[in-house]
Amino acid sequence: MDIPNLTAPSRSIGSTLGLKFYRLRTLLRRHWWIPLLTVCLGLAYQGWVVSRKPDLYESTSQISVREQLDNLDETSIKFRESTDTFLGNTLKMLQGPDIHRAARERLEMEAPELGAPEVSVEPMLIPRTSIFSIVGSGTNPEYTRRYVDTVVASFIASRQQVRGQAITDVAVDITGELATYRREHAKEKAELDAFIEKNNMHFWKEQATSSATFLADLKTRQAKLKTELQRLENLTPEQLLNSGPSAPAAQRSAGGENVDPSQGEGGVGNELYGQYLQANNQLAMKRAEMEERSTVWKDAHPRMKALKMDLARAERQIEFLKKQSAGAAQARIATIKAELMSLESGIADWSAKVEEASRKDAEYQRLQAAVARTQGLQEKLIAQMDKIKIGSGINAGGLQVVQKATPPAPVPKGAVKHLLIGLIGGLLVGGAILFFLDKSDDRLSSSTEMIEHFSEPILGQIPNVTDTRKESGLPLLQPEDERYSYAEAFRSLRSSLIFMPNQEELKTLLITSAIPNEGKSTVASNLAVTMAASGARVLLVDADLRRGDLAALFDTDGRHGLSSILRGEVPWKSALQSTPYPTLTLIPRGPVTNQSGELLLKPMMEKMLEEFKEEYDLVIFNTAPILATDDTPTLAPHFDGTLMVIRAQFTSARLTQNSLNALYQRQVNVLGLILNCVDTEMPDYYYYRYPKYYAA
């Protein structure tokens, strides 16, 4: 069954890098000869390349560039292309096939006795200068020197010819462009004059300004009337009376018409508002007087009747004022709507006038800008033609030989450079080989890698103490053992088993591994010693009937053991062997047999396990590796739990997974994994400080 791995820690970047570094270091210790071999091969190859390189000689010449026509205006695109790109094109032309073919033909005629060996030419621009350095290298020193001089001379001649033709072409192009711009300028000037003559521009400018101002006033008046109309339509007659007049008594509209001085912006006259306030005050006074007199006079009292009549008269007056207010509001609404219709008509007329004036002004500005543009282009082209006339009389090449080809000098073969290339290349190849070896190696080195491969919990990590191994094997734990980390790891394993969740009764325990030589016998023995040290009665049984060696490990008599019991030769109690540990008893392997599978399948095995449970607190069986025999998968289903031992840097994750699958197919209760022979220098090992702690 799969148990969620409860031991998985949260991995930080630092711990991950630490594990990667440790794995790389271990890989280098194991395969150090691979990068050494690749580096040696790389150095040998580069040494062979250096020895095969021919002797070369180098000669250098220098030419300077003095561009004379570099102040032309940027709008002359074609002419600028013929001058500004000179520096960049020089590098390409010096390496061009035409220049080199001309140089070789000239040398064949001038010095045929030198032959025609291959010469490579590399031009370069000296930084922050206009000087080109032409470096030639070849096997014949004299031919190389003369070849460099010939290349420079051929380039200068070719450049002078190209430059002269370029200046002529540019002058022709500029003349054609100037004639075109003159025709365009005359046409656009005529259009501008005709437009000014047809339209009185001064009148249209003044009309555009005044029309825009008047149109703004009309729109302002329209907005105010819409606001007033919305107010009159939304308020009730009583609300209009209560709000009172909200505008001056007399206004003039934007069109100049008079407004009724008795009407405010709210549509209620000042006189009507005053009457409404007076009637409200009288009504309040009558109600107060009636409330006061009602405590003295009865309803039939003449004065009470008169007071009620006055109160009713005041209420009728207020209702009359409300009706008057509603009528006045309706009249004002009709007036406003009529005025808004008039304003909309006026706004439309004046908007058309403003739009017409703006259109004429925009057309005038466009014609003026077109005339100015063609005039400016003509002036620039004329200035450029003047500069071309001046430049045509100057040396068109602008080139000068600063230094002729130097005497040929031997070229170093670059042995140091080649050796560095061989060294770096060898290291890279070796690193790549180590990388693929690491990717293909699934042997587990740490608990972190086990967590990545398995879901079973890791119950213990046993450090590697093979340096304490003697001729008789690795010594068992002693009461005052100085292998502090080793002893503490088994105590931790003991605690993991004692306090394991969901394990109500754990009395029979089977310890196995995937393949031989993983240390399961040592782990089983030391776990039994640790359990016995806590006071438990422990029985350790060597169930590896083919290669079990617990008798030799405990230095006891191994002539009779489990194989003898299963054959019926001796009762199991007669095969018990005492150990130096008081509460630990051992049943050795007994005589070696090749029929271990048949013996372990006998019915007496289950009966004997029940008897073991009654006599002992814990029974530990050390069994054969799972992938070596079928003994363990046959025996394990009868046990309360099984532990799988994995040796660090030895056991394949694939083989371990196959072993676990074989156990799960038999419904075995796998309690967890034990990582044996862990390197204490691993970043995720947690008992590395115990020696210092005990020493303190």
Side-chain angles (χ1 to χ4, degrees):
M1 61 181 182
D2 289 337
I3 303 174
N5 197 333
L6 303 178
T7 62
S10 58
R11 296 180 59 186
S12 62
I13 297 178
S15 63
T16 303
L17 293 177
L19 289 172
K20 292 293 185 183
F21 177 76
Y22 171 82
R23 191 174 180 91
L24 175 61
R25 186 178 62 182
T26 305
L27 193 65
L28 283 175
R29 287 177 179 176
R30 189 182 303 142
H31 301 291
W32 57 268
W33 55 272
I34 292 179
L36 179 61
L37 177 62
T38 55
V39 167
C40 292
L41 291 176
L43 292 176
Y45 174 74
Q46 291 298 325
W48 178 79
V49 170
V50 171
S51 65
R52 298 282 296 176
K53 290 181 70 174
D55 294 332
L56 295 179
Y57 298 89
E58 188 175 271
S59 180
T60 303
S61 178
Q62 291 182 349
I63 58 174
S64 68
V65 180
R66 298 192 310 276
E67 192 58 49
Q68 301 296 334
L69 299 179
D70 56 356
N71 294 321
L72 292 180
D73 194 275
E74 293 181 358
T75 57
S76 181
I77 299 174
K78 293 185 178 180
F79 191 76
R80 291 295 294 175
E81 286 180 348
S82 67
T83 57
D84 287 349
T85 58
F86 179 80
L87 296 178
N89 289 340
T90 298
L91 295 174
K92 293 183 178 180
M93 290 183 65
L94 285 169
Q95 292 180 324
D98 295 337
I99 300 296
H100 288 269
R101 182 171 57 254
R104 283 194 295 270
E105 291 175 354
R106 182 174 176 180
L107 279 179
E108 287 177 1
M109 291 187 296
E110 294 180 355
E113 70 279 1
L114 295 177
E118 188 66 27
V119 177
S120 63
V121 174
E122 182 179 358
M124 63 186 69
L125 179 65
I126 299 177
R128 294 186 295 276
T129 67
S130 59
I131 299 177
F132 286 89
S133 178
I134 297 91
V135 181
S137 57
T139 55
N140 189 320
E142 180 60 23
Y143 184 86
T144 300
R145 181 186 67 79
R146 298 187 64 173
Y147 187 84
V148 171
D149 282 338
T150 306
V151 166
V152 171
S154 300
F155 167 73
I156 292 176
S158 175
R159 188 58 199 173
Q160 287 177 346
Q161 181 180 1
V162 171
R163 182 182 176 86
Q165 184 62 40
I167 291 177
T168 303
D169 294 342
V170 169
V172 172
D173 292 342
I174 291 178
T175 302
E177 290 181 7
L178 183 58
T180 301
Y181 286 141
R182 282 175 176 171
R183 288 192 298 271
E184 290 182 3
H185 179 72
K187 179 181 177 182
E188 291 167 354
K189 186 68 169 60
E191 290 179 359
L192 177 61
D193 294 340
F195 183 81
I196 293 174
E197 183 178 353
K198 181 179 178 181
N199 302 282
N200 189 346
M201 294 309 301
H202 178 71
F203 168 75
W204 277 107
K205 285 183 178 294
E206 290 182 355
Q207 187 180 31
T209 303
S210 61
S211 299
T213 303
F214 191 72
L215 181 62
D217 293 341
L218 290 179
K219 289 183 178 180
T220 302
R221 177 58 183 164
Q222 184 186 40
K224 289 182 179 180
L225 289 175
K226 286 183 178 180
T227 303
E228 182 181 356
L229 178 62
Q230 185 178 10
R231 180 172 178 271
L232 291 174
E233 290 177 344
N234 293 336
L235 297 179
T236 63
E238 185 177 359
Q239 290 173 337
L240 289 172
L241 284 171
N242 286 327
S243 64
S246 57
Q251 311 177 41
R252 293 193 61 84
S253 69
E257 66 272 16
N258 291 328
V259 179
D260 186 359
S262 67
Q263 297 293 331
E265 191 177 330
V268 180
N270 293 333
E271 181 180 353
L272 200 61
Y273 176 67
Q275 293 176 4
Y276 178 74
L277 291 179
Q278 184 178 0
N280 262 338
N281 291 335
Q282 289 178 1
L283 180 61
M285 291 173 61
K286 293 296 182 182
R287 285 178 176 172
E289 184 179 359
M290 183 176 179
E291 184 178 357
E292 180 183 358
R293 296 299 182 181
S294 63
T295 59
V296 180
W297 297 336
K298 294 183 178 180
D299 292 341
H301 194 281
R303 290 190 178 182
M304 179 61 74
K305 290 181 178 181
L307 189 59
K308 286 183 177 181
M309 292 178 62
D310 292 341
L311 184 62
R313 190 182 301 111
E315 289 177 348
R316 286 194 301 272
Q317 185 180 1
I318 288 176
E319 289 299 325
F320 177 74
L321 289 174
K322 288 182 180 179
K323 290 181 180 180
Q324 280 189 321
S325 174
Q330 292 299 323
R332 181 58 182 163
I333 288 174
T335 302
I336 290 175
K337 288 183 177 180
E339 188 174 351
L340 283 174
M341 291 180 62
S342 176
L343 283 174
E344 287 178 358
S345 176
I347 288 173
D349 293 340
W350 285 101
S351 296
K353 293 179 181 180
V354 170
E355 184 178 356
E356 177 66 18
S358 300
R359 186 186 62 78
K360 289 181 177 294
D361 185 64
E363 180 66 15
Y364 175 73
Q365 296 295 336
R366 185 190 67 79
L367 292 174
Q368 261 194 339
V371 171
R373 181 185 66 84
T374 53
Q375 180 65 32
L377 291 174
Q378 287 184 80
E379 294 175 356
K380 290 180 180 179
L381 290 176
I382 291 172
Q384 291 169 10
M385 284 295 296
D386 293 339
K387 291 181 179 180
I388 290 176
K389 291 177 181 179
I390 296 173
S392 61
I394 303 175
N395 179 13
L399 302 173
Q400 181 180 1
V401 178
V402 177
Q403 173 185 302
K404 289 190 174 183
T406 59
V411 179
K413 293 186 177 182
V416 175
K417 176 182 176 181
H418 282 279
L419 292 178
L420 286 176
I421 293 175
L423 176 63
I424 296 173
L427 289 175
L428 291 177
V429 173
I433 295 174
L434 292 178
F435 174 78
F436 287 112
L437 284 176
D438 180 61
K439 288 299 180 182
S440 61
D441 186 5
D442 65 341
R443 290 179 292 183
L444 303 170
S445 301
S446 66
S447 60
T448 303
E449 294 177 357
M450 290 181 64
I451 291 170
E452 294 176 353
H453 286 85
F454 306 109
S455 61
E456 291 76 15
I458 302 172
L459 300 181
Q461 297 186 65
I462 312 302
N464 186 11
V465 291
T466 53
D467 55 340
T468 62
R469 181 181 294 274
K470 299 179 180 179
E471 294 181 1
S472 58
L474 190 65
L476 296 175
L477 287 174
Q478 302 300 321
E480 296 295 334
D481 204 308
E482 295 184 355
R483 297 171 294 180
Y484 307 114
S485 300
Y486 190 64
E488 205 62 43
F490 279 101
R491 294 189 187 104
S492 175
L493 176 59
R494 177 182 64 189
S495 299
S496 299
L497 293 173
I498 292 174
F499 300 107
M500 178 172 288
N502 302 325
Q503 300 296 332
E504 298 177 357
E505 184 179 4
L506 182 63
K507 299 202 68 175
T508 57
L509 187 64
L510 185 143
I511 299 179
T512 185
S513 62
I515 57 177
N517 300 323
E518 296 196 65
K520 61 176 179 55
S521 299
T522 304
V523 171
S525 302
N526 284 323
L527 177 60
V529 170
T530 306
M531 287 291 189
S534 65
R537 294 172 300 158
V538 181
L539 175 62
L540 177 61
V541 181
D542 192 351
D544 187 355
L545 301 183
R546 303 171 189 266
R547 295 182 57 185
D549 57 353
L550 295 188
L553 196 61
F554 282 90
D555 194 18
T556 61
D557 185 8
R559 289 176 295 174
H560 299 288
L562 182 60
S563 61
S564 304
I565 297 171
L566 295 176
R567 287 194 182 100
E569 297 175 356
V570 294
W572 67 268
K573 290 186 178 181
S574 300
L576 297 177
Q577 298 290 331
S578 61
T579 65
Y581 309 93
T583 59
L584 175 60
T585 305
L586 172 68
I587 294 182
R589 174 198 65 201
V592 176
T593 177
N594 291 328
Q595 297 179 341
S596 57
E598 290 76 7
L599 293 176
L600 294 174
L601 279 174
K602 287 189 174 183
M604 65 177 301
M605 173 59 73
E606 296 185 33
K607 180 180 178 182
M608 188 168 54
L609 282 175
E610 295 298 328
E611 294 176 359
F612 288 165
K613 289 182 181 180
E614 295 177 0
E615 294 290 333
Y616 296 94
D617 298 324
L618 179 64
V619 179
I620 300 176
F621 267 58
N622 173 48
T623 62
I626 296 174
L627 299 181
T629 68
D630 192 51
D631 297 355
T632 300
T634 301
L635 191 61
H638 304 298
F639 283 76
D640 298 332
T642 299
L643 297 178
M644 174 75 71
V645 178
I646 300 173
R647 182 177 172 183
Q649 301 181 19
F650 180 80
T651 310
S652 167
R654 176 179 52 83
L655 297 179
T656 303
Q657 190 62 59
N658 293 340
S659 303
L660 290 171
N661 292 338
L663 294 177
Y664 289 141
Q665 290 174 2
R666 309 291 176 89
Q667 303 299 317
V668 176
N669 180 22
V670 179
L671 300 177
L673 309 176
I674 300 173
L675 184 60
N676 191 26
C677 295
V678 180
D679 190 350
T680 55
E681 295 182 4
M682 286 290 298
D684 59 351
Y685 186 74
Y686 44 80
Y687 284 122
Y688 66 99
R689 294 189 183 275
Y690 267 95
K692 295 183 179 179
Y693 178 80
Y694 279 102

PDB file of all heavy atoms in Angstrom, residues 91 94 122-127 131-135:
ATOM      1  N   LEU A  91      35.570  49.262 -46.009  1.00  0.00           N
ATOM      2  CA  LEU A  91      35.921  47.949 -45.466  1.00  0.00           C
ATOM      3  C   LEU A  91      35.497  46.829 -46.412  1.00  0.00           C
ATOM      4  O   LEU A  91      36.240  45.864 -46.639  1.00  0.00           O
ATOM      5  CB  LEU A  91      35.263  47.761 -44.099  1.00  0.00           C
ATOM      6  CG  LEU A  91      35.733  48.714 -42.987  1.00  0.00           C
ATOM      7  CD1 LEU A  91      34.903  48.516 -41.728  1.00  0.00           C
ATOM      8  CD2 LEU A  91      37.213  48.472 -42.676  1.00  0.00           C
ATOM      9  N   LEU A  94      37.659  46.873 -49.798  1.00  0.00           N
ATOM     10  CA  LEU A  94      39.015  46.352 -49.668  1.00  0.00           C
ATOM     11  C   LEU A  94      39.043  44.827 -49.664  1.00  0.00           C
ATOM     12  O   LEU A  94      40.076  44.212 -49.947  1.00  0.00           O
ATOM     13  CB  LEU A  94      39.665  46.890 -48.393  1.00  0.00           C
ATOM     14  CG  LEU A  94      40.109  48.359 -48.461  1.00  0.00           C
ATOM     15  CD1 LEU A  94      40.496  48.869 -47.093  1.00  0.00           C
ATOM     16  CD2 LEU A  94      41.276  48.515 -49.433  1.00  0.00           C
ATOM     17  N   GLU A 122      42.954  41.762 -44.330  1.00  0.00           N
ATOM     18  CA  GLU A 122      41.945  42.120 -43.319  1.00  0.00           C
ATOM     19  C   GLU A 122      42.028  43.620 -43.045  1.00  0.00           C
ATOM     20  O   GLU A 122      42.935  44.072 -42.347  1.00  0.00           O
ATOM     21  CB  GLU A 122      42.163  41.335 -42.032  1.00  0.00           C
ATOM     22  CG  GLU A 122      41.104  41.629 -40.978  1.00  0.00           C
ATOM     23  CD  GLU A 122      41.324  40.826 -39.717  1.00  0.00           C
ATOM     24  OE1 GLU A 122      42.269  40.007 -39.678  1.00  0.00           O
ATOM     25  OE2 GLU A 122      40.565  41.036 -38.747  1.00  0.00           O
ATOM     26  N   PRO A 123      41.114  44.417 -43.604  1.00  0.00           N
ATOM     27  CA  PRO A 123      41.112  45.861 -43.312  1.00  0.00           C
ATOM     28  C   PRO A 123      40.358  46.139 -42.013  1.00  0.00           C
ATOM     29  O   PRO A 123      39.411  45.442 -41.658  1.00  0.00           O
ATOM     30  CB  PRO A 123      40.369  46.454 -44.512  1.00  0.00           C
ATOM     31  CG  PRO A 123      39.441  45.364 -44.942  1.00  0.00           C
ATOM     32  CD  PRO A 123      40.114  44.072 -44.630  1.00  0.00           C
ATOM     33  N   MET A 124      40.787  47.182 -41.310  1.00  0.00           N
ATOM     34  CA  MET A 124      40.108  47.588 -40.079  1.00  0.00           C
ATOM     35  C   MET A 124      40.272  49.085 -39.884  1.00  0.00           C
ATOM     36  O   MET A 124      41.293  49.670 -40.290  1.00  0.00           O
ATOM     37  CB  MET A 124      40.649  46.818 -38.879  1.00  0.00           C
ATOM     38  CG  MET A 124      42.118  47.067 -38.567  1.00  0.00           C
ATOM     39  SD  MET A 124      42.727  45.994 -37.251  1.00  0.00           S
ATOM     40  CE  MET A 124      42.706  44.412 -38.080  1.00  0.00           C
ATOM     41  N   LEU A 125      39.253  49.718 -39.299  1.00  0.00           N
ATOM     42  CA  LEU A 125      39.268  51.148 -39.024  1.00  0.00           C
ATOM     43  C   LEU A 125      39.814  51.372 -37.628  1.00  0.00           C
ATOM     44  O   LEU A 125      39.305  50.822 -36.647  1.00  0.00           O
ATOM     45  CB  LEU A 125      37.854  51.732 -39.149  1.00  0.00           C
ATOM     46  CG  LEU A 125      37.708  53.230 -38.865  1.00  0.00           C
ATOM     47  CD1 LEU A 125      38.473  54.045 -39.898  1.00  0.00           C
ATOM     48  CD2 LEU A 125      36.237  53.623 -38.862  1.00  0.00           C
ATOM     49  N   ILE A 126      40.869  52.193 -37.531  1.00  0.00           N
ATOM     50  CA  ILE A 126      41.435  52.508 -36.218  1.00  0.00           C
ATOM     51  C   ILE A 126      40.421  53.353 -35.449  1.00  0.00           C
ATOM     52  O   ILE A 126      39.918  54.347 -35.977  1.00  0.00           O
ATOM     53  CB  ILE A 126      42.773  53.244 -36.368  1.00  0.00           C
ATOM     54  CG1 ILE A 126      43.779  52.346 -37.118  1.00  0.00           C
ATOM     55  CG2 ILE A 126      43.326  53.650 -35.012  1.00  0.00           C
ATOM     56  CD1 ILE A 126      45.107  53.009 -37.387  1.00  0.00           C
ATOM     57  N   PRO A 127      40.057  52.963 -34.216  1.00  0.00           N
ATOM     58  CA  PRO A 127      39.005  53.677 -33.466  1.00  0.00           C
ATOM     59  C   PRO A 127      39.303  55.167 -33.330  1.00  0.00           C
ATOM     60  O   PRO A 127      40.456  55.586 -33.141  1.00  0.00           O
ATOM     61  CB  PRO A 127      39.008  52.973 -32.097  1.00  0.00           C
ATOM     62  CG  PRO A 127      39.571  51.618 -32.370  1.00  0.00           C
ATOM     63  CD  PRO A 127      40.586  51.816 -33.469  1.00  0.00           C
ATOM     64  N   ILE A 131      41.550  56.613 -40.230  1.00  0.00           N
ATOM     65  CA  ILE A 131      42.675  55.876 -40.808  1.00  0.00           C
ATOM     66  C   ILE A 131      42.321  54.394 -40.851  1.00  0.00           C
ATOM     67  O   ILE A 131      41.889  53.822 -39.847  1.00  0.00           O
ATOM     68  CB  ILE A 131      43.970  56.106 -40.001  1.00  0.00           C
ATOM     69  CG1 ILE A 131      44.350  57.593 -40.022  1.00  0.00           C
ATOM     70  CG2 ILE A 131      45.102  55.240 -40.539  1.00  0.00           C
ATOM     71  CD1 ILE A 131      45.569  57.915 -39.192  1.00  0.00           C
ATOM     72  N   PHE A 132      42.519  53.790 -42.028  1.00  0.00           N
ATOM     73  CA  PHE A 132      42.294  52.371 -42.204  1.00  0.00           C
ATOM     74  C   PHE A 132      43.636  51.653 -42.190  1.00  0.00           C
ATOM     75  O   PHE A 132      44.607  52.099 -42.808  1.00  0.00           O
ATOM     76  CB  PHE A 132      41.589  52.081 -43.529  1.00  0.00           C
ATOM     77  CG  PHE A 132      40.137  52.448 -43.523  1.00  0.00           C
ATOM     78  CD1 PHE A 132      39.746  53.720 -43.887  1.00  0.00           C
ATOM     79  CD2 PHE A 132      39.189  51.522 -43.144  1.00  0.00           C
ATOM     80  CE1 PHE A 132      38.410  54.055 -43.880  1.00  0.00           C
ATOM     81  CE2 PHE A 132      37.859  51.855 -43.136  1.00  0.00           C
ATOM     82  CZ  PHE A 132      37.456  53.129 -43.501  1.00  0.00           C
ATOM     83  N   SER A 133      43.657  50.517 -41.462  1.00  0.00           N
ATOM     84  CA  SER A 133      44.849  49.675 -41.429  1.00  0.00           C
ATOM     85  C   SER A 133      44.552  48.420 -42.240  1.00  0.00           C
ATOM     86  O   SER A 133      43.581  47.707 -41.965  1.00  0.00           O
ATOM     87  CB  SER A 133      45.199  49.306 -39.984  1.00  0.00           C
ATOM     88  OG  SER A 133      46.330  48.460 -39.954  1.00  0.00           O
ATOM     89  N   ILE A 134      45.403  48.148 -43.265  1.00  0.00           N
ATOM     90  CA  ILE A 134      45.215  46.984 -44.135  1.00  0.00           C
ATOM     91  C   ILE A 134      46.321  45.997 -43.806  1.00  0.00           C
ATOM     92  O   ILE A 134      47.504  46.272 -44.027  1.00  0.00           O
ATOM     93  CB  ILE A 134      45.258  47.372 -45.626  1.00  0.00           C
ATOM     94  CG1 ILE A 134      44.100  48.315 -45.971  1.00  0.00           C
ATOM     95  CG2 ILE A 134      45.175  46.137 -46.498  1.00  0.00           C
ATOM     96  CD1 ILE A 134      44.423  49.763 -45.821  1.00  0.00           C
ATOM     97  N   VAL A 135      45.915  44.858 -43.227  1.00  0.00           N
ATOM     98  CA  VAL A 135      46.867  43.842 -42.775  1.00  0.00           C
ATOM     99  C   VAL A 135      46.760  42.651 -43.717  1.00  0.00           C
ATOM    100  O   VAL A 135      45.678  42.073 -43.892  1.00  0.00           O
ATOM    101  CB  VAL A 135      46.574  43.413 -41.328  1.00  0.00           C
ATOM    102  CG1 VAL A 135      47.591  42.363 -40.880  1.00  0.00           C
ATOM    103  CG2 VAL A 135      46.604  44.620 -40.397  1.00  0.00           C
TER     104      VAL A 135
END
